[in-house]
Amino acid sequence: MTVLESYLPTTPSQYGVKSDYKHLNVDSDGRVIRVALDRPATLNAVDGDMHAELSRVFRDVANREGDVVVLTGTGDAFSAGGDIDWMADCLADSEQFRTVLHEGEAIVKAILDLRKPLIAKVQGDAMGLGATLALYADVVFMSEDAALGDTHVAVGLAAGDGGAAIWPLLTDIHTAKELMMTGRAVDADEAVELGLVNHAVPPNLLDERVDSFVEELLDGSQPAIRYTKVALNKWIEMGTTLALREGLMLEGLTQHLPDHEAGVRAFRDGESPDFPTGADEHQ
């Protein structure tokens, strides 16, 4: 088995339906299910517990009563991406990171398998995995004062959690490369212009706009809406099949390189990283 093959996720069997969460707020209001990333003190940064919960929540809501799912964050951010302390823990425990890769595949696959419309309400910044979660939604409403970016490279990681699949599908391959190889974030207006999100909305109107669109969906034929989504998702599934596993393998590989440790250390110290690994060392 090669180094890369050792990071290939297998189909996980432990991700079942569970209704109690530590870092997700899941509630239903009639026909609408709301899922909120709920670590506001950390800008909803994803730690090990939240990551595990994300790997099962979309299968959970698929089996709950309700016709539309709204995904958002609690507080000022949608999600700041991976929790830096969690990344540091994973550096010291490679087996923990293998679990992360299995869960990462489960998260994306569960979103794609969800037949209910999934609406992302991006009320604050969405970075890293947070951006991936938002972009895999069916329709994305983004606050005008929010930013969105895939920032894996900023901490010396390959963008492997689904970003390498979804960004080029929504924009184009050159734009995806430019943004993902630099980790540059875009504001809401640019995100709309690039095709990453559907609507940039003034912050005070975001709830109203999302609620209005949800009502429009609820007024429609639910089987017709769901099966239309299933058909359209075939395009996304093709891109995801091509890029997700490869991306996860490469993220696993870069987790073991000195650049990632340097990136984590610099982020914790509030400094710019000095990446030590030369390109000729890893072709």
Side-chain angles (χ1 to χ4, degrees):
M1 177 180 293
T2 68
V3 173
L4 288 180
E5 287 172 340
S6 71
Y7 283 96
L8 273 173
T10 55
T11 301
S13 60
Q14 69 267 41
Y15 308 126
V17 174
K18 186 175 179 181
S19 297
D20 55 311
Y21 299 97
K22 180 180 180 182
H23 293 313
L24 298 176
N25 187 345
V26 183
D27 63 64
S28 301
D29 178 13
R31 298 170 63 190
V32 182
I33 304 169
R34 294 179 175 83
V35 178
L37 310 180
D38 194 22
R39 295 186 73 217
T42 65
L43 300 178
N44 299 320
V46 179
D47 66 355
D49 289 335
M50 184 190 283
H51 200 263
E53 291 172 2
L54 285 167
S55 72
R56 60 177 179 261
V57 68
F58 297 103
R59 301 195 189 282
D60 179 345
V61 298
N63 290 282
R64 292 191 183 208
E65 291 186 5
D67 294 313
V68 177
V69 182
V70 177
L71 177 65
T72 190
T74 301
D76 295 331
F78 184 83
S79 174
D83 184 280
I84 200 68
D85 290 332
W86 177 47
M87 291 185 195
D89 290 341
C90 289
L91 279 169
D93 182 0
S94 61
E95 286 303 315
Q96 184 178 169
F97 199 79
R98 291 175 188 268
T99 299
V100 172
L101 299 182
H102 292 303
E103 292 171 350
E105 183 179 35
I107 291 168
V108 173
K109 287 191 171 182
I111 292 175
L112 288 175
D113 289 341
L114 178 64
R115 295 191 171 189
K116 299 170 184 177
L118 176 63
I119 312 305
K121 181 168 65 174
V122 182
Q123 89 293 355
D125 292 353
M127 300 295 167
L129 177 56
T132 300
L133 292 172
L135 297 183
Y136 265 97
D138 301 311
V139 180
V140 185
F141 291 81
M142 184 173 174
S143 175
E144 289 178 343
D145 59 0
L148 182 147
D150 194 309
T151 50
H152 281 76
V153 296
V155 289
L157 287 177
D161 61 15
I166 196 65
W167 282 70
L169 288 173
L170 296 175
T171 58
D172 59 71
I173 192 66
H174 286 105
T175 299
K177 285 179 178 179
E178 177 183 346
L179 294 176
M180 299 185 74
M181 291 194 301
T182 62
R184 180 173 73 83
V186 298
D187 61 26
D189 288 336
E190 186 175 1
V192 171
E193 180 181 350
L194 293 174
L196 289 165
V197 307
N198 298 79
H199 304 284
V201 183
N204 62 318
L205 298 179
L206 185 62
D207 289 345
E208 178 184 335
R209 286 288 301 278
V210 172
D211 290 346
S212 177
F213 182 71
V214 167
E215 287 300 320
E216 183 178 351
L217 290 175
L218 294 176
D219 287 341
S221 165
Q222 298 310 303
I225 290 171
R226 293 187 185 194
Y227 293 143
T228 296
K229 171 179 175 172
V230 169
L232 289 168
N233 265 6
K234 295 303 178 183
W235 296 101
I236 303 175
E237 288 171 6
M238 285 192 294
T240 298
T241 298
L242 286 171
L244 179 60
R245 283 199 159 199
E246 181 88 5
L248 287 168
M249 287 191 301
L250 294 169
E251 184 174 350
L253 178 62
T254 52
Q255 195 263 347
H256 288 282
L257 298 181
D259 284 10
H260 180 49
E261 183 176 358
V264 170
R265 183 173 58 251
F267 191 95
R268 297 179 89 174
D269 293 341
E271 300 174 351
S272 297
D274 182 14
F275 294 121
T277 306
D280 56 342
E281 298 177 49
H282 292 275
Q283 296 296 334

